Amino acid sequence: MKHLLSLEKMSHADMIAVLQSGAAFKHARATHAKPLAGQTWALIFSKSSTRTRVSFEVGIRELGGESLFLSAGDIQLGRGEPIKDTARVLGRMIHGAVIRTFAQSDVEDFANYSGVPTVNALTDDEHPCQVLTDIFTFEEKRGPIADQVVTFIGDGACNMPVSWIFAAAKLGFELRIAAPKNYQPAPEILRRAGGKVIVTEDLQAAAAGADLLYTDVWVSMGKEPESAQRLKELTGYQINAALLKLAKPGALVMHCLPAYRGKEIDEETFEAHAATIFDQAENRLHVQKAILNWLVA
Ligand code: CP
Ligand code: NVA
């Protein structure tokens, strides 16, 4: 039984297989095989979503399956039914699950108890589908990411940079994370991942010569009570024209979205790189179809 629970646990070979077949799913959108024919997949979401929800619902349909969207607040999970009981019930009825939640242990418990392929569609710890898509998008535009320099600016301790950290070691690129001290990744994560990851408060140094500048929201879902403090402490950790000048000429700018202009990125830079950013959003569909196909193969 295969699952996609984190990039930490995904092998290099599986990453390469998914990245390669993403291109095939993108280029043969109407004509590819239907590996989910006769299957029903549940999307169990405890947090908001636009891209992840729609790309999985459309992707499952295009692969021949049906999807069932279950907002955690509408099922007994939201009233305290344990995830392991929810998993054992759904596992008898569905063929796979895509879960967006808070605790990483919840997607792991669901995978263990349900007996069906389970996908992490974002937890507080990781967002593996997004980072696989980001790497696919980079490679589509620039070729292999190995030996390139990726710079993440902003909240360096949230799910996005953590998935980037595990990808860096496996795919052999240099990752620089520019974040204030309180928003840097835990040393334990850096130790577990290995690879070439530089963490600094100096965003200019981190951006110098980079092939890709990447950012994410300063206030992740679930962190809203810290909003005022985060907006104050992360001020300045922004992708803007001045920072981009330090990167390699022609460097890409990416954002996983949703974007908050004037916070982690300025309006001018966002709009100048909108073609890349919305290709990234579209590619969620193609890469996740590759992920689903890999899970059931
Ligand atoms: N990037 C991303 O996961 O977007 P959603 O929160 O809209 O799914
Ligand atoms: N770090 C963000 C990612 C949103 C796609 C969050 O968790 O809200």
Side-chain angles (χ1 to χ4, degrees), residues 74-134:
D74 292 342
I75 58 175
Q76 298 289 5
L77 189 62
R79 295 181 64 249
E81 183 167 23
I83 192 84
K84 61 183 183 180
D85 293 356
T86 306
R88 282 179 284 188
V89 173
L90 295 186
R92 290 166 183 243
M93 301 177 188
I94 60 169
H95 300 89
V98 177
I99 302 180
R100 170 166 285 201
T101 189
F102 296 86
Q104 179 70 21
S105 59
D106 281 353
V107 291
E108 286 167 9
D109 287 348
F110 192 96
N112 286 336
Y113 282 93
S114 67
V116 296
T118 301
V119 178
N120 174 356
L122 182 150
T123 62
D124 290 345
D125 289 15
E126 280 217 39
H127 196 359
C129 299
Q130 179 72 54
V131 171
L132 286 172
T133 303
D134 299 335

Side-chain angles (χ1 to χ4, degrees), residues 201-271:
E201 286 179 282
D202 184 343
L203 67 166
Q204 281 84 16
D211 297 282
L212 166 62
L213 295 187
Y214 195 104
T215 192
D216 179 17
V217 296
W218 289 348
V219 183
S220 283
M221 291 180 280
K223 298 290 186 191
E224 292 81 2
E226 299 172 11
S227 203
Q229 191 187 347
R230 285 174 164 266
L231 296 191
K232 195 164 115 221
E233 293 178 347
L234 284 153
T235 294
Y237 283 84
Q238 181 189 71
I239 298 184
N240 52 37
L243 195 72
L244 187 56
K245 275 206 187 83
L246 304 173
K248 195 176 273 179
L252 293 174
V253 172
M254 290 193 190
H255 193 308
C256 56
L257 302 175
Y260 292 84
R261 274 93 155 167
K263 306 271 187 319
E264 73 276 4
I265 192 163
D266 71 347
E267 169 79 14
E268 179 195 350
T269 311
F270 182 92
E271 291 302 338

Side-chain angles (χ1 to χ4, degrees), residues 48-53 100 127 130 221 256-258 284:
S48 304
S49 173
T50 299
R51 283 144 286 272
T52 308
R53 175 178 176 175
R100 170 166 285 201
H127 196 359
Q130 179 72 54
M221 291 180 280
C256 56
L257 302 175
R284 296 291 303 278

Side-chain angles (χ1 to χ4, degrees), residues 279-296:
D279 277 354
Q280 237 185 304
E282 177 194 325
N283 284 338
R284 296 291 303 278
L285 171 66
H286 311 301
V287 172
Q288 287 163 192
K289 283 165 76 178
I291 291 168
L292 292 165
N293 181 59
W294 162 72
L295 286 172
V296 300

